[in-house]
Amino acid sequence: MSAARGFASDNYSGVHPEILEAITAANHDHAPAYGADRWTAAAQERFREHFGPAARAFPVFNGSGANVVAIAAVTASWEAVICPVTAHLHVDECGAPERVGGVKLFTVETPDGKLTTELLEGAFPWERIGDEHASQPRVVSIANSTELGTVYEPAEVRAIADAAHARGLLLHVDGARIANAAAAQKVGLGELTTDAGVDLLSFGGTKNGLLFGEAVVFLAEGLGEGAEFVRKQLMQLASKMRFAGAQLEALLAGDLWRRNAAQANRMAARLGAALEGVGGVELVQPVEANGVFAKLPAAAIERLELDPDGNRAFYVWDEAGTVRLMCSWDTEAEDVDAFVASVEETVADTAGSSR
Amino acid sequence: MSAARGFASDNYSGVHPEILEAITAANHDHAPAYGADRWTAAAQERFREHFGPAARAFPVFNGSGANVVAIAAVTASWEAVICPVTAHLHVDECGAPERVGGVKLFTVETPDGKLTTELLEGAFPWERIGDEHASQPRVVSIANSTELGTVYEPAEVRAIADAAHARGLLLHVDGARIANAAAAQKVGLGELTTDAGVDLLSFGGTKNGLLFGEAVVFLAEGLGEGAEFVRKQLMQLASKMRFAGAQLEALLAGDLWRRNAAQANRMAARLGAALEGVGGVELVQPVEANGVFAKLPAAAIERLELDPDGNRAFYVWDEAGTVRLMCSWDTEAEDVDAFVASVEETVADTAGSSR
Amino acid sequence: MSAARGFASDNYSGVHPEILEAITAANHDHAPAYGADRWTAAAQERFREHFGPAARAFPVFNGSGANVVAIAAVTASWEAVICPVTAHLHVDECGAPERVGGVKLFTVETPDGKLTTELLEGAFPWERIGDEHASQPRVVSIANSTELGTVYEPAEVRAIADAAHARGLLLHVDGARIANAAAAQKVGLGELTTDAGVDLLSFGGTKNGLLFGEAVVFLAEGLGEGAEFVRKQLMQLASKMRFAGAQLEALLAGDLWRRNAAQANRMAARLGAALEGVGGVELVQPVEANGVFAKLPAAAIERLELDPDGNRAFYVWDEAGTVRLMCSWDTEAEDVDAFVASVEETVADTAGSSR
Amino acid sequence: MSAARGFASDNYSGVHPEILEAITAANHDHAPAYGADRWTAAAQERFREHFGPAARAFPVFNGSGANVVAIAAVTASWEAVICPVTAHLHVDECGAPERVGGVKLFTVETPDGKLTTELLEGAFPWERIGDEHASQPRVVSIANSTELGTVYEPAEVRAIADAAHARGLLLHVDGARIANAAAAQKVGLGELTTDAGVDLLSFGGTKNGLLFGEAVVFLAEGLGEGAEFVRKQLMQLASKMRFAGAQLEALLAGDLWRRNAAQANRMAARLGAALEGVGGVELVQPVEANGVFAKLPAAAIERLELDPDGNRAFYVWDEAGTVRLMCSWDTEAEDVDAFVASVEETVADTAGSSR
């Protein structure tokens, strides 16, 4: 008996076979701990290939670690981060940015999880720069793809980067799903980040087929002094680092990062298109990466939220009846089609019931 | 070309084959993230078997994470930890206990890395309990086995636990190498902890054959309220937790924990005994677990510190010429014997040179 | 040559003569430091008279200290505070609540600086209570009077307190101007706080005629365990505490607190009424305490912002041309009338200029 | 009925009349808040006169605030402070340096509260500079005069400064009693600090006759960037700053700082000399500033600890029977003589009793 492949999260999936092979291949003899091994060195080289020669990557355990280490490494205690109110940083890290990273967050309402230069302009009363009573913005943080499944194009990133830089701020990208964003637009990872003016990146691996592992990547020259101390102090330094290095190497050396992300994206597109055709179902965000945000009738949510084995099929996103459906690197067309069929059936069954 | 198995650290070794099998076996289909999976549930059951029915385990990524989450979960911001001055907490976590855990450390000099009730008595001016100007001790933290390769017997742990409890303090054990301590004394994990009055434990897995993974284990009833929030906020909550769970399960279900630790211990005993017979070499700590602390002539250190391939063979522990030699679960007699031979040879060769 | 009494802030005023007398009267011989003196004991008694027998006051240096000590004393590291987006806590404490207090703030937009039960309901996705990924609200914090010069009546406070308590949250009042709020409504300090369900209060003294000094006051039974340690650790414990105690005693023993606040309120009412009659000037908030928020023509702002001696006459509140005019305990009718006259004159003079 | 002038602490004394006059003189009209007033500007000028043209002073509320703001302003989160184990920073600030300042302390045992270059050399395993696992020393902190009443001469300070600088560290002086140290040696404040290589200073006022008020003083060029934000965030920024400025001005403009300190020192010398002549009493530290550390018979301690009115006459320093006797700016010869007489009498009375 095994759990179905549902749509609860792209971290419900397991490890891609090529990644597990890479782990296995690295598992012989002794290797220096804490990153002084050859797998981590090779991964560093891959990061430079993708993100440019100035890129310096610091592998960490998880996405919270990547975000908080990244931000802590470039901010003083009185500095702040501007981000959309839907940012993982703000809503899903249990206060780690504030308590552990030591920054304040200024949040911005957005329709689709995406910051714009206009929204940025209104995100802080800029006349207070230099006023010791106010936390001072230092970083703008956006997620790409966003927590709502939407994607910034390189030009959009560039516009925000320029606006941030004009204010003396850095642009950070929470790239837990940066591969999905790049794959969706058929651009390279560097095109969507370094080339678009991004200063530092949380590079995501776990959701894209790794067992564990993300990386803080400083893209701009001269950033991140002391980051090795920050990573250690924030408890994100793995002793058997070779296995993080080997995974990141395997993900980035060929096109595995893109294959995995593209598969997830394709399945989300299929799912979105199919759901759009179901009466009573409404997409509330454009499907641009690997997530589908759809309004389902309440009675359907209630019946479908858990699959027959009691596993969570998806998460309810808000009280308005929006559900989040995430596709993963291992999602198959049959998974999508079966789910859509069950939605259709359930909606038909429950059509008479009022909410 | 592969690196030799040296004695730099027990985290230079890789993943035990049975652990990698367990990871592979868990790698199918989807599983709930963040610990709501069946592998983690099974691991929980193993912890209860070993540590008693009240035990609640919170898997985390690494040893720093285990120590800091453990302590943060049971202390208020004005509370403090008493530990030997050699504690990993004090010297090897880059200030994480203070900066991230929010506690002050009061440290105690010891001859052998082991706290005693007498040393504890002098570790704080107890008349200051209740004085708002002084950080208030809340936790006594000892490592077993210690950072100097020594081991506390159950009765020694019990004595410290009693003294701590009499003061209203909790006893925490940094058990990065608790398996080595238990194997060395041929006692169970629970005998050395729960049964001896330990309140909370950092249970070590990485150094004992895991890819990654430790656990904060609350042993006493009523401890650790809110620990799930602390773990998340301190960025130690793995999304694909099933792989932590599967590893811990595999380690604890049978006797793998003991086999691995016993092998490392045996090799350290062999190494210690052999080195003791080499002229000019002196053991500076009793060999009780998997570490050997020995004084080597300076010229020998210089020649042997790096192996012919440039890999670190061991770490120099202090400027007095002490080196630390750690054996791992995969250390073989041939590794030990070859190293001892090279020491003998080098000492002989360099006997005439003065430092 | 002396600076005029302007409207920049109620902390531009000095020390009320009766307060300075109290300081002088306490200045003889030695007295125990850190609060074990008879003046502080007397002040404690006054706090109990006003706020009820359970009230326990911890004098601190300033308003930031009061707010952060109050909140830190009742929250765990993963807990959060809900407050209006205009809260001093959020915009004027340079990140102290997050960085020093260790809490996250969830902010709410309001029209007038006042929280309501409806706004509170939408301030957090309550289904996430218990979800370790989200900071957990523990405190609702409102200011009375607010940063926009508006006032909560006892019934409004009670409604919020009831809603907070129903959610298991505490209600904190930032009472930097609690005296103004009470005086405005001709109610007692306790009626507006303890009797209305407030759990803890930052009691303001500095803006109401003290040289320095505020107090964290725990109003509800059983709150604030360890607050003496928090106050000390957050560096808000005065050594020569008798002078804080003597000031607070003098403020609260008779009706000085009310006289001072009422005078400031009266002057604000006079100022608001007069400005309302000036063409081109518009009040943007009701004048309920000692602050007037008015829109002035840009040309008038430019001319009047600094007085002839170069002293700041008021602060520009936003880029829409709102200015904040604060009256103090020492503001006189002549100050108000002269300022209104200069506004009238300037508005007339600059009427033709476009912004 | 008034409390006697005892020897419990130099913060049991009140405000020097000239200081209170300065406060009163500053108490008219409005003045800009937060330090933009003329009294604070005048105090700044005085700091430059004493400490050199590069000196920048940031007045704060209290000594804990001065120490922690000073250190936080010059350290990254992974940096550490080296100080004697008797440092106020370590034993009397309830963990504020760690929890609020975000630093780790490495402490050094000393015979007399004074660091030396030899002790500094052994205070940290310097080969770990650059090792991300270890907190990195950034500041050496000494108190002058020390918590044990001893004093560093300029040459001793210079030696430590040179050793610190050679390691790339800064030298901080906790100068809660810097005036006593300078007065004791008949040198200027600058001679003992700036001229001796000190980089930053916590300048003490409260214990030397102020109502409240200390200052963080950056002595070396280029230090303390962002200190105004640190001071605000650490809640040490007074709104009615003019009264801190006026006090500091009054203390430093003439020779009040020296008169007050010299009087306290003279009284300590008188007290030390007299006690030395009492049988059964032994001085355990040289009397170099305004404190006397003496061993008294247990029976005498018990009788004398509280004066006839129940006020504390002195503090017991350790369990070996050492008491600390602090003289203040207002201590008179008659206070000393009366106390000595009572010691003599009590010792004689209790001579037969064994402890």
Side-chain angles (χ1 to χ4, degrees):
Chain A
M1 186 212 78
S2 77
R5 287 188 302 266
F7 301 88
S9 177
D10 34 3
N11 58 31
Y12 273 45
S13 59
V15 188
H16 190 277
E18 296 177 32
I19 296 296
L20 202 45
E21 271 167 42
I23 288 174
T24 305
N27 192 34
H28 55 82
D29 299 319
H30 280 197
Y34 303 118
D37 63 89
R38 62 187 175 84
W39 295 270
T40 303
Q44 281 287 358
E45 183 53 32
R46 297 303 164 221
F47 277 103
R48 281 190 295 269
E49 286 168 15
H50 283 285
F51 295 102
R56 276 144 306 127
F58 292 78
V60 296
F61 287 114
N62 63 356
S64 298
N67 281 340
V68 177
V69 168
I71 282 168
V74 299
T75 49
S77 71
W78 62 88
E79 291 181 330
V81 174
I82 295 174
C83 61
V85 75
T86 46
H88 197 277
L89 265 181
H90 180 57
V91 298
D92 273 315
E93 287 172 3
C94 198
E98 291 92 349
R99 178 65 180 72
V100 180
V103 292
K104 187 177 179 76
L105 304 183
F106 290 112
T107 59
V108 186
E109 297 277 348
T110 73
D112 54 3
K114 290 171 63 178
L115 199 67
T116 62
T117 54
E118 291 71 31
L119 290 170
L120 177 56
E121 200 54 31
F124 184 77
W126 299 100
E127 70 276 11
R128 299 197 69 184
I129 291 293
D131 170 0
E132 72 209 42
H133 297 261
S135 295
Q136 303 286 300
R138 172 68 180 141
V139 176
V140 174
S141 181
I142 61 175
N144 201 11
S145 62
T146 73
E147 294 82 359
L148 297 182
T150 51
V151 168
Y152 294 87
E153 296 175 14
E156 292 173 302
V157 175
R158 166 56 71 186
I160 296 172
D162 288 349
H165 297 160
R167 292 285 189 194
L169 311 188
L170 301 170
L171 179 58
H172 167 257
V173 169
D174 177 348
R177 298 184 183 100
I178 188 71
N180 299 93
Q185 300 179 69
K186 301 190 164 52
V187 298
L189 292 167
E191 283 176 79
L192 199 50
T193 53
T194 316
D195 300 352
V198 175
D199 298 290
L200 66 166
L201 170 71
S202 298
F203 177 80
T206 312
K207 291 190 167 81
N208 203 25
L210 265 51
L211 198 163
F212 74 92
E214 322 273 308
V216 178
V217 194
F218 297 99
L219 304 172
E221 295 279 0
L223 279 185
E225 202 192 345
E228 65 274 25
F229 292 98
V230 174
R231 177 176 57 175
K232 169 64 193 177
Q233 187 179 63
L234 270 46
M235 314 183 310
Q236 288 287 320
L237 179 63
S239 58
K240 296 186 176 176
M241 181 74 89
R242 61 167 135 168
F243 298 110
Q247 291 183 80
L248 290 164
E249 224 292 282
L251 187 70
L252 288 172
D255 65 350
L256 181 59
W257 69 270
R258 190 186 289 278
R259 272 187 283 139
N260 279 354
Q263 171 67 11
N265 289 354
R266 257 193 313 273
M267 292 301 103
R270 183 185 188 100
L271 176 58
L275 285 180
E276 220 167 4
V278 179
V281 174
E282 182 194 348
L283 299 190
V284 299
Q285 294 290 344
V287 179
E288 296 177 354
N290 65 322
V292 176
F293 288 74
K295 258 191 197 154
L296 259 60
I301 291 177
E302 200 179 324
R303 274 222 217 154
L304 296 170
E305 203 172 347
L306 300 183
D307 74 13
D309 296 326
N311 297 301
R312 174 162 297 279
F314 54 79
Y315 276 95
V316 178
W317 191 251
D318 62 34
E319 299 189 317
T322 305
V323 304
R324 187 190 75 159
L325 304 161
M326 297 305 298
C327 295
S328 189
W329 64 268
D330 67 348
T331 305
E332 300 284 350
E334 63 184 54
D335 304 324
V336 170
D337 298 347
F339 179 74
V340 172
S342 72
V343 171
E344 281 178 327
E345 191 182 285
T346 310
V347 168
D349 271 18
T350 58
S353 72
S354 65
R355 198 191 175 177
Chain B
M1 188 212 77
S2 78
R5 288 188 300 266
F7 302 88
S9 178
D10 35 2
N11 57 31
Y12 273 45
S13 59
V15 188
H16 190 277
E18 297 177 30
I19 296 294
L20 202 46
E21 269 169 42
I23 288 175
T24 304
N27 191 34
H28 56 81
D29 298 319
H30 280 198
Y34 303 117
D37 63 88
R38 62 188 175 84
W39 296 270
T40 305
Q44 282 287 0
E45 183 53 32
R46 298 301 164 224
F47 278 103
R48 282 191 294 270
E49 285 169 16
H50 282 286
F51 296 102
R56 276 143 307 128
F58 292 79
V60 295
F61 287 115
N62 63 357
S64 299
N67 281 340
V68 177
V69 168
I71 282 168
V74 298
T75 49
S77 70
W78 64 87
E79 291 181 331
V81 174
I82 294 174
C83 61
V85 75
T86 47
H88 198 275
L89 264 183
H90 180 57
V91 298
D92 274 314
E93 288 173 1
C94 199
E98 292 92 348
R99 176 65 179 73
V100 179
V103 292
K104 187 176 179 77
L105 305 183
F106 289 111
T107 59
V108 187
E109 298 277 348
T110 72
D112 53 3
K114 289 171 63 177
L115 199 68
T116 62
T117 54
E118 291 71 31
L119 290 170
L120 177 56
E121 200 54 29
F124 184 77
W126 298 101
E127 69 277 11
R128 299 197 69 184
I129 290 294
D131 170 359
E132 71 209 40
H133 297 260
S135 295
Q136 302 288 299
R138 172 69 179 139
V139 176
V140 174
S141 180
I142 62 174
N144 201 11
S145 62
T146 74
E147 296 81 359
L148 297 181
T150 51
V151 168
Y152 294 87
E153 296 174 14
E156 292 172 303
V157 175
R158 165 57 70 188
I160 297 172
D162 288 349
H165 296 160
R167 291 285 190 194
L169 311 187
L170 300 170
L171 179 57
H172 166 256
V173 169
D174 178 349
R177 299 185 183 97
I178 188 72
N180 299 93
Q185 298 178 72
K186 300 191 166 51
V187 299
L189 293 167
E191 283 176 78
L192 200 49
T193 53
T194 316
D195 300 352
V198 176
D199 298 290
L200 67 166
L201 170 71
S202 298
F203 176 81
T206 312
K207 291 190 168 81
N208 203 26
L210 265 51
L211 199 163
F212 74 92
E214 322 273 307
V216 178
V217 195
F218 298 99
L219 304 172
E221 294 280 0
L223 278 185
E225 201 193 347
E228 65 275 24
F229 292 98
V230 174
R231 176 175 61 173
K232 168 65 192 176
Q233 187 179 66
L234 271 44
M235 313 184 310
Q236 289 286 321
L237 178 64
S239 58
K240 297 187 176 175
M241 182 74 91
R242 61 168 134 169
F243 299 109
Q247 291 183 81
L248 291 164
E249 228 281 292
L251 187 71
L252 289 172
D255 65 350
L256 181 58
W257 69 270
R258 190 185 289 277
R259 273 186 283 137
N260 280 352
Q263 171 67 9
N265 290 353
R266 259 192 312 273
M267 292 302 104
R270 183 185 188 100
L271 176 59
L275 285 180
E276 219 165 7
V278 179
V281 174
E282 182 194 347
L283 299 189
V284 300
Q285 294 290 346
V287 180
E288 298 177 355
N290 66 322
V292 176
F293 289 74
K295 258 191 197 156
L296 260 59
I301 290 177
E302 200 179 323
R303 275 222 218 155
L304 295 169
E305 201 173 346
L306 300 183
D307 74 13
D309 297 324
N311 298 302
R312 175 162 297 280
F314 53 78
Y315 276 94
V316 179
W317 191 251
D318 62 34
E319 299 189 317
T322 306
V323 305
R324 186 190 75 159
L325 304 159
M326 298 304 299
C327 295
S328 189
W329 63 268
D330 67 349
T331 305
E332 300 284 350
E334 64 185 51
D335 304 324
V336 170
D337 298 347
F339 179 74
V340 172
S342 72
V343 172
E344 281 177 325
E345 190 183 282
T346 310
V347 168
D349 270 16
T350 58
S353 72
S354 65
R355 196 190 179 174
Chain C
M1 188 213 76
S2 77
R5 288 187 301 263
F7 301 88
S9 176
D10 36 2
N11 59 30
Y12 272 46
S13 59
V15 188
H16 190 277
E18 295 176 32
I19 296 295
L20 203 45
E21 270 169 41
I23 288 174
T24 306
N27 190 35
H28 55 82
D29 299 318
H30 280 198
Y34 302 117
D37 62 89
R38 62 186 174 85
W39 295 271
T40 304
Q44 282 287 0
E45 183 54 31
R46 298 304 164 221
F47 277 102
R48 282 190 294 271
E49 286 169 14
H50 284 285
F51 295 100
R56 277 142 306 126
F58 292 79
V60 295
F61 287 116
N62 63 357
S64 299
N67 282 339
V68 177
V69 169
I71 283 168
V74 298
T75 49
S77 71
W78 63 86
E79 292 180 331
V81 175
I82 294 174
C83 61
V85 75
T86 46
H88 197 277
L89 264 182
H90 180 57
V91 297
D92 274 314
E93 286 172 3
C94 198
E98 291 93 349
R99 177 66 179 73
V100 180
V103 292
K104 188 176 179 75
L105 305 183
F106 290 112
T107 59
V108 187
E109 297 276 349
T110 73
D112 53 3
K114 290 171 64 178
L115 199 68
T116 63
T117 53
E118 290 72 30
L119 290 170
L120 177 56
E121 200 54 29
F124 185 76
W126 298 101
E127 69 277 11
R128 298 197 70 185
I129 290 295
D131 170 0
E132 71 209 42
H133 297 260
S135 296
Q136 303 287 300
R138 172 68 179 140
V139 176
V140 174
S141 181
I142 61 175
N144 202 10
S145 61
T146 74
E147 295 81 0
L148 298 181
T150 51
V151 168
Y152 295 86
E153 295 175 15
E156 293 173 300
V157 174
R158 166 55 71 187
I160 297 172
D162 288 348
H165 297 159
R167 291 284 190 195
L169 311 186
L170 301 171
L171 179 59
H172 167 256
V173 169
D174 177 349
R177 298 184 183 99
I178 188 70
N180 299 94
Q185 298 179 72
K186 300 191 166 52
V187 298
L189 293 166
E191 284 176 79
L192 199 50
T193 53
T194 316
D195 299 351
V198 175
D199 298 290
L200 67 165
L201 170 71
S202 297
F203 176 81
T206 312
K207 291 190 167 81
N208 203 26
L210 264 53
L211 199 162
F212 74 92
E214 322 274 306
V216 178
V217 194
F218 297 99
L219 304 173
E221 294 281 359
L223 278 186
E225 200 193 346
E228 65 275 24
F229 292 97
V230 175
R231 177 175 62 174
K232 169 66 193 175
Q233 187 180 64
L234 271 44
M235 313 184 310
Q236 288 286 322
L237 178 63
S239 58
K240 296 186 176 176
M241 182 73 91
R242 61 167 135 168
F243 299 110
Q247 291 183 80
L248 290 164
E249 228 281 294
L251 187 71
L252 289 171
D255 65 351
L256 182 58
W257 69 272
R258 190 185 288 277
R259 273 187 283 138
N260 279 354
Q263 171 66 12
N265 290 354
R266 259 194 311 273
M267 291 301 104
R270 182 185 189 102
L271 176 57
L275 285 180
E276 220 166 6
V278 179
V281 174
E282 184 195 346
L283 299 190
V284 299
Q285 293 291 346
V287 180
E288 297 178 355
N290 66 321
V292 176
F293 288 74
K295 258 192 198 156
L296 259 59
I301 291 177
E302 201 179 322
R303 272 220 219 156
L304 295 169
E305 202 173 346
L306 301 184
D307 74 13
D309 296 325
N311 297 301
R312 176 162 296 280
F314 53 79
Y315 276 95
V316 178
W317 191 251
D318 62 34
E319 299 189 317
T322 306
V323 303
R324 186 189 75 160
L325 304 159
M326 298 303 299
C327 295
S328 189
W329 64 266
D330 67 347
T331 305
E332 299 284 349
E334 64 185 52
D335 303 324
V336 171
D337 298 347
F339 179 74
V340 172
S342 72
V343 172
E344 282 177 324
E345 190 183 285
T346 310
V347 168
D349 271 16
T350 58
S353 71
S354 67
R355 201 190 174 177
Chain D
M1 186 214 76
S2 77
R5 286 188 302 266
F7 301 88
S9 176
D10 34 3
N11 58 31
Y12 273 46
S13 59
V15 188
H16 190 277
E18 296 177 32
I19 295 295
L20 202 45
E21 270 168 41
I23 288 174
T24 306
N27 191 34
H28 55 82
D29 299 319
H30 281 199
Y34 302 117
D37 63 89
R38 63 188 175 83
W39 295 270
T40 304
Q44 281 287 358
E45 184 53 33
R46 298 302 163 222
F47 277 102
R48 282 190 294 270
E49 286 169 14
H50 283 285
F51 295 100
R56 277 143 306 127
F58 292 79
V60 295
F61 287 115
N62 64 355
S64 298
N67 282 340
V68 177
V69 168
I71 282 167
V74 299
T75 49
S77 70
W78 63 87
E79 292 182 328
V81 174
I82 294 174
C83 61
V85 75
T86 47
H88 198 276
L89 265 181
H90 180 57
V91 298
D92 274 314
E93 287 172 2
C94 198
E98 291 92 349
R99 177 65 180 73
V100 180
V103 293
K104 186 176 179 77
L105 305 183
F106 290 112
T107 60
V108 187
E109 297 277 347
T110 73
D112 53 3
K114 289 171 64 178
L115 199 67
T116 64
T117 55
E118 290 71 32
L119 289 170
L120 177 56
E121 202 52 30
F124 185 76
W126 298 101
E127 70 277 10
R128 299 198 69 185
I129 290 295
D131 170 0
E132 71 209 42
H133 296 260
S135 294
Q136 302 287 299
R138 172 67 180 142
V139 175
V140 175
S141 181
I142 61 175
N144 201 10
S145 63
T146 73
E147 295 81 359
L148 297 182
T150 51
V151 168
Y152 295 87
E153 295 176 14
E156 293 172 302
V157 175
R158 166 56 71 186
I160 296 172
D162 287 349
H165 296 160
R167 291 285 190 194
L169 311 187
L170 301 170
L171 179 57
H172 167 255
V173 169
D174 178 349
R177 298 185 183 99
I178 188 71
N180 300 92
Q185 298 178 72
K186 300 191 166 51
V187 298
L189 293 167
E191 284 176 78
L192 199 50
T193 54
T194 316
D195 300 352
V198 176
D199 297 291
L200 66 165
L201 171 71
S202 298
F203 177 81
T206 312
K207 291 190 167 80
N208 202 26
L210 265 52
L211 198 163
F212 75 93
E214 322 273 308
V216 178
V217 194
F218 297 100
L219 304 172
E221 295 280 359
L223 278 185
E225 201 193 345
E228 64 275 25
F229 291 98
V230 175
R231 177 177 58 176
K232 169 65 193 177
Q233 187 178 65
L234 272 45
M235 314 184 309
Q236 288 287 320
L237 178 63
S239 57
K240 296 187 176 175
M241 181 74 89
R242 61 168 135 170
F243 299 109
Q247 291 182 81
L248 290 164
E249 229 280 294
L251 187 71
L252 289 171
D255 65 349
L256 181 59
W257 69 270
R258 191 186 288 278
R259 273 186 282 137
N260 279 354
Q263 171 67 12
N265 290 354
R266 259 194 311 272
M267 293 301 103
R270 183 186 189 101
L271 176 58
L275 286 179
E276 220 165 5
V278 178
V281 174
E282 182 196 348
L283 299 189
V284 299
Q285 293 291 344
V287 179
E288 297 177 355
N290 65 322
V292 176
F293 289 75
K295 258 192 198 156
L296 259 59
I301 290 176
E302 199 179 324
R303 273 222 219 155
L304 295 170
E305 202 173 348
L306 301 183
D307 74 13
D309 297 325
N311 298 300
R312 176 162 296 280
F314 53 79
Y315 276 95
V316 178
W317 191 250
D318 62 34
E319 299 189 319
T322 306
V323 304
R324 187 189 75 160
L325 304 159
M326 298 304 298
C327 296
S328 189
W329 64 267
D330 67 347
T331 305
E332 300 284 349
E334 64 186 52
D335 303 324
V336 171
D337 298 348
F339 179 74
V340 173
S342 72
V343 172
E344 282 178 325
E345 190 183 286
T346 311
V347 168
D349 270 18
T350 58
S353 71
S354 67
R355 198 192 178 174

